[in-house]
Structure formats: structure tokens, C-alpha cells
Amino acid sequence: MTIAADEVRDELNRILVSCSSDIQRIARCRILLNNIISTWLTNSVEILKEVVEFLAQDNITLFVSRQIFSDFCMQILPWLPDAQSKLLAQFMQKEMQPRVVHFEYHLSIVCHHLSCIYEKEENWKEAGNWLASISAESYFRFSVDYQLELYMKIARLYMEDDDPLLAEPYVKKASVLQFETSNIDLHLSYKVCYARMLDFRLKFIEAAQAYDELSNCLKLKENDRLTALKNTLVCTILSLAGGIRTRLLKSLFNDKRCLFFIRLSTLEKLYLVRIIKPHEIDEIEKLLMPHQKAKTNYGTTLLVEAIAEHNIQSIRIHHKNIKIESLGHLLGFEPYKAELIAERMISEGRIEGTIDQKESLITFKNRNLDRLHSWQKKIESLNMQLNRMNELLLANSLVWRVEDDQ
């Protein structure tokens, strides 16, 4: 038996008029839905839209419409193929929207369903937009855990679309709510989300610290800890900070798990501040995510510039001065770019030195050598004092012997 759209409209009107109670109307509507599903045709989605449009009217009691809309959300939408389910869900959202106050719960399910379909299609932004359309702080009271999970999911979807600007407000909302839950899994999920947000905002040293904590968190799965470790490694390399970066590199050098991602010789050079060669840069680049390959003001990538600064630190340790042209050759840059990077490092206080434009020469002030000279002077002074003490002890010993003989 086939059912036409006009027959469905007539049947719905008969149900509305002939049934004396809402319980009877709900039962008859469910029988009608079963008939539509059991005699599935190519136009069945259009027939279901007729039912949705009828139920969304103001003259239908909320008790009836909510019950049947729950059937649509829990049974029909998940049962349909994605293409047809998407069309029906979009129509439901449009029809229920004018009475959003009464159908907030159902709208949230419809939006979640549409978001899942778009996520399967890897349409991250549209998936995020559908979740963002859910009013989690509205009249219908959603739990704190639901809101927290919702905000983090929206942020993750926007970050998948490489749009941290859209993601950041939801990370901030989640940061407030995470103090109101005792759910350990949600706390961990927030830490992961926050670390990724720092990473996407190119705050690499803060991201590296957040990832480092996660990489050693035993409450996370082993694969998740390894992913966090890889991100710690990458963000540490891309960061330009001094002391914290050094501490993290030491920790990474002593962590054998890093050998899954990078050769020991390359990691050793990073830790001991030795020159990183072009083929080793290529090895590190394979670990980068798309947003970490962004271009800098000098027209190079973030990685190339970070390694250039690392190499300048290495050159500073082993050279008192260097010609700008030679520095450019060692870095693989044009001389003026090498000079600009060195000038920035000096102005930011990350190395001590001067640039002689006339002689085209960079002179470094090596703190390590200064410390070495200082220690040498202290050791010389200590040796002199020890020698003096020995002389005095020897003299006293001779006096004691003379006194004993007498």
C-alpha cells in the first residue's frame, strides 16, 4: 500500500479532530509513521516533512508534538541514509525554530545529528556551525558536563578547519565551566583542547608545556600520550624561548619514546645546541601540522626560522665573531635576512652582541666564556689560599717540633 502526501495531510487532520485525548492522537500518529516507513518510496522524505510541518503548528498541543518529534529524533533520523536524513533534519530545524523555546531539547538533537553528518563529510566548519547554533545557556537547562563537552567539540571542529579565531571563544567558555565539574575525563579533554588552542595560536612554548604535562599523564591512553609527546617535541623546536625551551629539550632528550619521531643524533644536536643541517630540517618538517607550516615576515617557514635562531646560538658558542655573509651561508639565507634575524635576537636580549654595519661583522659576547673566566679566577684564588694555609701549617709544625725537642 502506498501513501500520498495529500492522504497524509487528511489523515493528520482526522486524527486531530476525531481523537478525544492526546494519548490517542500520539498512538494514531505513530501508526501513521509506521505505515510511511514500512511502505518506503522515493518521496517518503517529502511525506515525512508533511508530518513535521503539521506537528509544528501552534494549534497542536506540545504534549503531542514533543512526543512525535522525539520519535523523529531517536528513531527516524538515525535510520535514514545520511543524504535523506540531512534533508529531513534541516527541514525539522527550520519548522521548529519559530517555537524554539518549546522545542530546545529536540533542536539540540537535530543539530547534533546534522553536525555528525557534516563531520563524516569532513566539512568541519559546517559541523561546528550546527553545534554552535545550540543555545546551551537558554531556558532549557542543560547540565554543566553537556555544555562543557559541547563547547570543546565546537572548538575542536573549528580547529580542524584551521580557524582558531572561531574556536577561541568556545575554549574560553569551557575554561570557566571546567571548574564546575568533577568529571576527570572532561578535565583531561579540556587540557587537550587548551593545548591545541595554544598550538593553533602559535604560542609554542606555552603549548609545549601543556603537551608535556599530557605526555606524562597516566590517565591518558598510550597513543594519546605519544601524540602529546610528538606535539611537545614539535612545539619546543618551534619555540624561541630560552630557559624553558632548554629544560624541555633536556626532558625530551632523556625520553626514549622520542625516538619514534626523530633520530637520536638530531635530538642530541637540538639539546646540545649544535648546528642543524638542511636534511635534518626536512626530517623535523614531516612532523608538522598544516598550521605549523605558516610563513614568517621574512618569507621563510616558522621551522626554518626557529632552526636559524638555534644555529645562531650554536655559532655564538663557538665563534667570537663572524662575517654577515658567512653567517648567511651557514644558515642558508641571504646575508640581509641572516642579519635581520641576528639583529632581532640581540634586540630581544636572547643573545649578547653587536653588529658592525661598516665591517659587515657580528661580534658575540659569550656568557659561557665569561663564566669560565670567572670560575678560573675563583679557582686560582682558592688555590693560592690553600697554598698559604699549607705554608702556615708547615711552619707551625716546625715550631711544635722544636718545642718538643726542648
Side-chain angles (χ1 to χ4, degrees):
M1 183 182 71
T2 61
I3 303 175
D6 55 349
E7 292 176 337
V8 169
R9 283 194 296 270
D10 292 340
E11 179 62 21
L12 288 168
N13 283 315
R14 279 194 295 272
I15 291 171
L16 180 63
V17 174
S18 62
C19 293
S20 59
S21 69
D22 285 342
I23 298 295
Q24 291 177 341
R25 294 185 183 101
I26 292 169
R28 290 278 297 277
C29 284
R30 282 175 172 162
I31 292 171
L32 177 62
L33 285 177
N34 286 333
N35 289 336
I36 295 170
I37 299 300
S38 61
T39 58
W40 190 256
L41 298 170
T42 55
N43 68 332
S44 292
V45 170
E46 297 303 318
I47 294 172
L48 289 171
K49 286 181 180 180
E50 291 286 345
V51 179
V52 171
E53 187 177 6
F54 180 84
L55 293 170
Q57 296 178 95
D58 292 337
N59 62 329
I60 305 299
T61 59
L62 290 173
F63 183 70
V64 173
S65 54
R66 282 173 173 168
Q67 290 293 322
I68 303 304
F69 279 148
S70 292
D71 292 346
F72 269 87
C73 292
M74 303 300 184
Q75 298 174 25
I76 297 177
L77 287 179
W79 175 75
L80 289 173
D82 283 349
Q84 295 174 328
S85 186
K86 184 197 294 187
L87 291 174
L88 182 59
Q90 288 171 336
F91 185 81
M92 288 178 66
Q93 192 272 341
K94 179 183 175 183
E95 291 298 312
M96 287 191 287
Q97 192 62 42
R99 302 177 71 188
V100 61
V101 175
H102 303 299
F103 299 126
E104 282 182 324
Y105 172 70
H106 300 89
L107 280 168
S108 69
I109 296 175
V110 169
C111 291
H112 268 287
H113 182 74
L114 284 166
S115 177
C116 288
I117 292 175
Y118 280 108
E119 189 176 356
K120 287 180 189 176
E121 297 171 354
E122 297 187 0
N123 189 340
W124 313 116
K125 188 170 185 177
E126 196 63 27
N129 288 342
W130 277 108
L131 288 185
S133 68
I134 298 172
S135 182
E137 301 167 0
S138 60
Y139 175 78
F140 186 88
R141 179 62 181 170
F142 291 100
S143 69
V144 169
D145 286 7
Y146 173 86
Q147 293 180 62
L148 180 55
E149 195 166 9
L150 175 68
Y151 293 146
M152 289 190 294
K153 183 64 180 293
I154 295 169
R156 285 196 296 269
L157 288 169
Y158 284 145
M159 282 189 278
E160 286 292 336
D161 197 52
D162 289 332
D163 198 335
L165 291 177
L166 284 177
E168 191 167 20
Y170 295 96
V171 177
K172 288 180 178 178
K173 288 182 178 182
S175 70
V176 176
L177 287 175
Q178 55 123 359
F179 295 109
E180 300 179 26
T181 182
S182 58
N183 189 313
I184 296 174
D185 291 335
L186 287 179
H187 278 295
L188 288 175
S189 295
Y190 170 74
K191 288 182 178 181
V192 173
C193 190
Y194 180 66
R196 287 195 67 196
M197 184 75 251
L198 291 171
D199 188 352
F200 271 86
R201 296 292 284 167
L202 308 185
K203 297 180 179 180
F204 292 124
I205 195 63
E206 294 94 334
Q209 289 176 286
Y211 283 132
D212 182 51
E213 181 185 349
L214 291 166
S215 71
N216 295 295
C217 180
L218 297 179
K219 293 176 183 177
L220 283 177
K221 295 178 182 178
E222 180 62 26
N223 286 340
D224 293 333
R225 293 203 300 273
L226 283 174
T227 300
L229 181 68
K230 187 195 81 167
N231 291 334
T232 305
L233 176 63
V234 170
C235 289
T236 301
I237 294 170
L238 292 174
S239 65
L240 303 176
I244 298 173
R245 183 178 189 270
T246 302
R247 179 183 65 78
L248 287 170
L249 282 172
K250 181 180 179 180
S251 174
L252 291 166
F253 181 70
N254 292 322
D255 195 327
K256 301 302 181 185
R257 297 176 299 168
C258 284
L259 300 182
F260 287 118
F261 312 112
I262 192 170
R263 288 184 299 176
L264 180 61
S265 59
T266 307
L267 186 58
E268 185 179 39
K269 287 182 178 181
L270 288 165
Y271 172 51
L272 298 177
V273 198
R274 294 174 181 168
I275 294 288
I276 300 293
K277 296 179 180 178
H279 73 274
E280 292 165 325
I281 298 177
D282 295 338
E283 176 191 357
I284 298 168
E285 189 174 17
K286 294 175 183 177
L287 302 174
L288 302 187
M289 290 185 284
H291 72 275
Q292 295 166 338
K293 298 178 182 180
K295 297 285 185 179
T296 69
N297 295 333
Y298 303 115
T300 59
T301 63
L302 293 169
L303 175 62
V304 169
E305 189 170 324
I307 295 299
E309 293 209 7
H310 169 91
N311 287 342
I312 288 175
Q313 292 282 12
S314 178
I315 291 166
R316 175 188 66 84
I317 292 171
H318 299 98
H319 295 77
K320 185 176 180 181
N321 52 52
I322 188 170
K323 286 285 187 179
I324 293 174
E325 186 176 352
S326 299
L327 179 64
H329 177 72
L330 286 172
L331 298 180
F333 283 177
E334 295 176 6
Y336 82 92
K337 283 187 180 180
E339 182 182 356
L340 286 173
I341 293 175
E343 182 181 355
R344 185 182 65 191
M345 294 177 71
I346 291 171
S347 66
E348 292 177 358
R350 284 184 284 119
I351 59 172
E352 290 188 10
T354 57
I355 298 178
D356 188 330
Q357 298 278 357
K358 186 176 180 180
E359 296 293 331
S360 190
L361 185 71
I362 300 176
T363 302
F364 301 109
K365 183 179 180 182
N366 197 321
R367 292 180 181 176
N368 291 333
L369 289 176
D370 291 342
R371 287 179 188 152
L372 182 61
H373 292 319
S374 176
W375 276 104
Q376 285 176 341
K377 288 179 181 179
K378 289 179 180 179
I379 291 169
E380 288 173 3
S381 174
L382 182 62
N383 284 334
M384 289 176 64
Q385 293 179 42
L386 288 172
N387 289 334
R388 180 60 178 159
M389 287 176 64
N390 284 332
E391 290 173 2
L392 291 172
L393 288 171
L394 182 61
N396 286 337
S397 176
L398 291 173
V399 169
W400 291 339
R401 285 179 184 178
V402 170
E403 290 179 348
D404 288 341
D405 291 342
Q406 291 177 350

